[in-house]
Amino acid sequence: MQFYLRFPEWALGRCFKCETYKLVACLGDLTVDGFTIKLFACHPCAWRLEQFHRALRRRHDMAHDLIAAPFLGSHVVLRPGRLEAIKLPERRFRELELASARGEACPPWLLEAAKARWGGQPAGAAGR
Ligand SMILES: [Zn+2]
């Protein structure tokens, strides 16, 4: 129900993703090379895109909430305001360095480890 309220206008049309002709809602504009089209998606496709967006946002928030650093000859991940740390194998630390240099999102294994260690959502994602 909430989902339908977020996209108030559903009409018959073609879903850009699964290419089925059914009820679709406008998700927004897509601009490529200065040409803009409106993206219409069916309910399942729109829902999946929203979940995808949320997952990426959580990873983004988590990445900005964690600090990986060398510590006493090993490597740890810290979360500001929390005493417990996650100890990282050297190769995982290098993986994070590389991901950070490339501007990539927080890798799923770190997200899982952070959830297991500190629980719930990172501070940056509170209330969402
Ligand atoms: Zn679809």
Side-chain angles (χ1 to χ4, degrees), residues 1-10 43:
M1 189 61 190
Q2 268 189 335
F3 192 82
Y4 277 99
L5 292 176
R6 208 159 33 253
F7 300 103
E9 290 181 37
W10 295 84
H43 183 253

Side-chain angles (χ1 to χ4, degrees), residues 21-43:
Y21 189 80
K22 53 169 134 179
L23 278 181
V24 293
C26 184
L27 301 184
D29 296 335
L30 175 67
T31 303
V32 176
D33 293 335
F35 184 77
T36 301
I37 55 166
K38 293 211 171 294
L39 285 184
F40 291 90
C42 70
H43 183 253

Side-chain angles (χ1 to χ4, degrees), residues 71-123:
F71 181 73
L72 297 177
S74 69
H75 300 90
V76 293
V77 173
L78 301 167
R79 188 162 164 197
R82 303 295 292 266
L83 291 175
E84 317 85 13
I86 298 170
K87 205 172 169 195
L88 283 186
E90 169 95 23
R91 83 186 157 82
R92 288 299 203 189
F93 183 73
R94 299 292 163 222
E95 198 181 313
L96 287 182
E97 274 188 327
L98 202 62
S100 173
R102 289 173 177 163
E104 292 170 2
C106 185
W109 59 262
L110 180 56
L111 194 64
E112 287 308 309
K115 258 190 219 160
R117 174 67 82 222
W118 299 296
Q121 290 183 311

Side-chain angles (χ1 to χ4, degrees), residues 15-20 22 41-46:
C15 171
F16 88 95
K17 197 154 186 292
C18 67
E19 300 188 349
T20 313
K22 53 169 134 179
C42 70
H43 183 253
C45 289

